[in-house]
Amino acid sequence: EAQVTQNPRYLITVTGKKLTVTCSQNMNHEYMSWYRQDPGLGLRQIYYSMNVEVTDKGDVPEGYKVSRKEKRNFPLILESPSPNQTSLYFCASSSGDYRSDTQYFGPGTRLTVL
Amino acid sequence: GNSVTQMEGPVTLSEEAFLTINCTYTATGYPSLFWYVQYPGEGLQLLLKATKADDKGSNKGFEATYRKETTSFHLEKGSVQVSDSAVYFCALPANAGGTSYGKLTFGQGTILTVHP
């Protein structure tokens, strides 16, 4: 089954404690992205990757890091989380084709930073 | 880059009512347009799409027509069900022309609640 998986689904942490949210896709997609979803703001892209070892900033990259060492995995790293990073996070992957660029989303990770 | 403006909600309807959620866009050229749906506790999933002007996307009784004259892609359903309660997002590639690099620009989302 084609899917994007994320772990953990729920996470409560404290300010400053480094954390990693994992993301994996099994569709051999070139492109992967991280979004955060906040009430009234919709989805905003944090980082995206066009291929292994190729990443770029999205609209709201501050406070986040990513890496793409393997095609299927795209972890999101918060080196020093702060309360304003409390949000619902989604990983997504796509083939990147302009005309039919369907993005496939993971189930989401709800992060609370105290 | 491209942008999208989506009707703000929330929208509350009774079962079997007619649904319209408005979406207008600003884009260079004629990019593909998408509607995504997010059911409670889940990630987004593609509901329908249209890849060129005048195309109609359809799925699960929902329809949207790509209208370049009015730069719109309104979502409609003739008779909603309780199970349609979800958040609906209009989207298009963020970049003008060429490869989208996997980046979509999303509207703010419209919360739909359908009562029995």
Side-chain angles (χ1 to χ4, degrees), chain A residues 10-110:
Chain A
Y10 302 90
L11 179 59
I12 300 174
T13 189
V14 296
T15 299
K17 185 176 181 181
K18 180 179 179 180
L19 66 92
T20 299
V21 184
T22 65
C23 172
S24 182
Q25 51 95 4
N26 64 0
M27 293 167 279
N28 201 38
H29 282 162
E30 302 286 332
Y31 299 93
M32 298 185 74
S33 300
W34 276 102
Y35 294 87
R36 60 178 288 174
Q37 183 181 16
D38 301 289
L41 297 175
L43 274 83
R44 295 178 292 168
Q45 192 179 55
I46 303 170
Y47 268 96
Y48 64 101
S49 170
M50 293 162 276
N51 212 326
V52 175
E53 304 290 4
V54 182
T55 62
D56 205 352
K57 297 177 180 178
D59 300 317
V60 288
E62 294 77 19
Y64 304 94
K65 285 178 57 177
V66 292
S67 69
R68 187 96 179 270
K69 300 189 187 308
E70 303 168 283
K71 196 173 186 179
R72 63 183 291 125
N73 297 323
F74 191 44
L76 178 70
I77 303 158
L78 284 72
E79 294 271 3
S80 182
S82 61
N84 65 11
Q85 293 178 299
T86 292
S87 188
L88 180 58
Y89 291 87
F90 291 101
C91 181
S93 72
S94 68
S95 63
D97 177 74
Y98 180 73
R99 292 248 59 90
S100 60
D101 195 8
T102 300
Q103 293 221 343
Y104 295 83
F105 284 81
T109 295
R110 186 167 292 282

Side-chain angles (χ1 to χ4, degrees), chain B:
Chain B
N2 300 330
S3 64
V4 59
T5 301
Q6 185 176 339
M7 165 185 172
E8 294 187 20
V11 175
T12 302
L13 296 172
S14 297
E15 209 165 24
E16 300 184 0
F18 183 85
L19 168 71
T20 299
I21 301 177
N22 291 336
C23 171
T24 58
Y25 66 90
T26 301
T28 301
Y30 301 104
S32 296
L33 302 174
F34 305 88
W35 276 101
Y36 281 81
V37 60
Q38 183 181 25
Y39 297 106
E42 299 183 11
L44 281 73
Q45 57 185 272
L46 180 69
L47 178 61
L48 56 83
K49 66 182 180 184
T51 58
K52 61 183 186 293
D54 299 324
D55 263 5
K56 177 185 286 188
S58 61
N59 186 25
K60 299 183 180 181
F62 290 89
E63 294 182 339
T65 300
Y66 189 155
R67 301 201 183 280
K68 64 179 181 181
E69 301 84 2
T70 55
T71 61
S72 65
F73 193 54
H74 304 323
L75 182 68
E76 297 182 334
K77 186 174 186 182
S79 176
V80 294
Q81 306 300 312
V82 172
S83 57
D84 294 326
S85 296
V87 184
Y88 293 82
F89 294 90
C90 186
L92 76 166
N95 299 327
T99 304
S100 70
Y101 300 114
K103 183 173 182 177
L104 295 179
T105 292
F106 290 86
Q108 292 192 354
T110 300
I111 300 172
L112 171 66
T113 303
V114 180
H115 293 296

